[in-house]
Amino acid sequence: QVQLVESGGGSVQAGGSLRLSCEVSRSVNINYCMSWFRQETGKKREGVAAIGTGGGSTFYADSVKGRFTISYDNAKNSVYLQMDTLKPEDTAMYYCAAKVAHDCWPTSWSLGVNYWGQGTQVTVSS
């Protein structure tokens, strides 16, 4: 069983930065593809970024490339999403997610999630 607890959401003006954190309660003998998703009200949940705890591969949605950075701290069992140059269209509920896998893969990192966090709201004003 994996538990994911997000923190770090909030309100910021366009151009600002936020850092989301996700504390992961997991078995150290199992690797995961850790990811961040977001969902705007009334829209489909979309993958934002992913990182593999085993292989370290990272992937990003085109809409956030160059602005967002995902990282994983094995010692703290935490995954982070550094969000810079935020835009109003980044406003959404952000979810931490985990999939049992050695690494993340380019065509499937946003599919087959096994565990979800409760979400943290990010609001970017213009």
Side-chain angles (χ1 to χ4, degrees), residues 22-78:
C22 174
E23 187 173 346
V24 184
S25 171
R26 70 175 182 96
S27 169
V28 296
N29 296 318
I30 299 175
N31 285 310
Y32 297 87
C33 173
M34 300 299 304
S35 54
W36 288 95
F37 284 70
R38 66 186 181 186
Q39 186 171 24
E40 297 177 64
T41 302
K43 294 189 177 181
K44 185 180 177 181
R45 192 172 296 188
E46 63 172 355
V48 174
I51 185 168
T53 63
S57 299
T58 57
F59 298 97
Y60 296 91
D62 288 342
S63 58
V64 306
K65 281 181 182 177
R67 300 189 299 121
F68 290 11
T69 304
I70 190 170
S71 60
Y72 186 80
D73 187 329
N74 197 50
K76 295 183 178 180
N77 275 341
S78 294

Side-chain angles (χ1 to χ4, degrees), residues 11-17 84-90 123-126:
S11 298
V12 65
Q13 288 192 327
S17 298
D84 298 318
T85 319
L86 282 161
K87 304 176 181 179
E89 50 263 44
D90 294 318
T123 302
V124 184
S125 58
S126 58

